């Protein structure tokens, strides 16, 4: 039986970068979907791990990143997704959640072999993370309604690549952790 973790990628964000306007348009409808996914994961005892860009702030920790994001005009995109006291947090400096982070070790320690990747950006960090998860022999699930993009056409292509090239299960968030009747 596999053990699953929900990985929330780069959602603690100030949206103060060149592609922010495009990303915000895509992220806004994803936030309530991801908030629901977080509630269901937590209710089912699924570990939640936030892996977030440090935005070049090498002296910061996750609390400072969260405070900074909550102090922006885009706090509404962050508040519903805030980590709880049981959430784990890994900082990253590049696109992949695995690149020079302790995530692989953490997942091994937790006995996790299946990852649900949610967050942003589909055609960048989610795609590269899915590839790195695949080559590390993790099963990958990507709920397509719980990932945000900058370029819609590239996001569609990225989801297709994850499915065809990496064997990822691309589904909707409603397919995950639903009560059995």
């Amino acid at each position: 039986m596999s053990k699953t973790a929900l990985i929330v990628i780069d959602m603690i964000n100030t949206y103060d970068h060149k592609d922010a306007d495009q990303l915000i348009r895509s992220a806004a409808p994803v936030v309530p979907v991801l908030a629901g996914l977080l509630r269901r994961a937590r209710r089912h005892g699924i570990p939640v791990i936030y892996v977030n860009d440090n935005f070049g702030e090498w002296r910061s920790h996750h609390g400072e990143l969260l405070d900074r994001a909550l102090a922006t005009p885009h706090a509404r995109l962050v508040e519903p997704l805030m980590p709880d006291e049981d959430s784990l947090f890994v900082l990253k400096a590049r696109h992949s959640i695995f690149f020079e982070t302790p995530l692989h070790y953490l997942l091994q320690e937790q006995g996790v072999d299946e990852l649900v990747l949610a967050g942003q950006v589909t055609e960048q960090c989610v795609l590269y993370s899915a590839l790195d998860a695949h080559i590390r022999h993790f099963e990958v699930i990507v709920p397509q309604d719980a990932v945000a993009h900058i370029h819609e056409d590239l996001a569609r292509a990225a989801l297709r690549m994850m499915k065809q090239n990496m064997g990822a299960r691309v589904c909707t968030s409603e397919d995950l952790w639903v009560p059995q009747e």
Side-chain angles (χ1 to χ4, degrees), residues 33-174:
V33 172
L34 183 48
L37 196 58
L38 281 163
R39 281 190 299 277
R40 289 196 312 276
R42 290 171 174 147
R43 190 170 45 243
H44 284 83
I46 305 291
V48 175
I49 305 171
Y50 290 76
V51 184
N52 214 91
D53 197 313
N54 72 355
F55 302 104
E57 298 291 331
W58 295 104
R59 295 181 193 272
S60 65
H61 60 77
H62 70 278
E64 290 172 320
L65 291 175
L66 182 60
D67 290 345
R68 195 172 301 118
L70 292 172
T72 70
H74 308 293
R76 65 181 164 67
L77 299 174
V78 177
E79 287 171 346
L81 307 177
M82 291 184 8
D84 68 6
E85 63 279 350
D86 295 323
S87 298
L88 302 174
F89 207 101
V90 174
L91 290 175
K92 69 181 184 68
R94 298 296 295 167
H95 295 83
S96 173
I97 59 178
F98 290 100
F99 182 74
E100 297 190 5
T101 74
L103 182 63
H104 190 218
Y105 179 77
L106 171 63
L107 295 169
Q108 287 179 318
E109 287 294 305
Q110 297 277 320
V112 171
D113 57 3
E114 182 177 75
L115 305 179
V116 175
L117 302 180
Q120 55 196 24
V121 168
T122 309
E123 67 273 24
Q124 296 174 14
C125 299
V126 177
L127 174 63
Y128 305 146
S129 298
L131 176 60
D132 280 354
H134 172 71
I135 64 174
R136 287 169 174 79
H137 304 287
F138 289 98
E139 295 296 320
V140 176
I141 300 170
V142 181
Q144 61 191 358
D145 55 342
V147 290
H149 60 268
I150 294 171
H151 303 285
E152 187 175 0
D153 59 329
L154 296 178
R156 281 193 308 271
L159 289 168
R160 189 167 160 233
M161 289 171 61
M162 287 182 252
K163 184 175 182 177
Q164 288 188 310
N165 298 347
M166 300 163 215
R169 177 178 161 214
V170 177
C171 61
T172 67
S173 61
E174 292 178 358

Side-chain angles (χ1 to χ4, degrees), residues 16-35:
D16 182 24
H17 47 82
K18 71 178 178 108
D19 296 325
D21 290 340
Q22 291 167 277
L23 182 56
I24 289 167
R25 281 192 296 276
S26 176
V30 164
V31 168
V33 172
L34 183 48

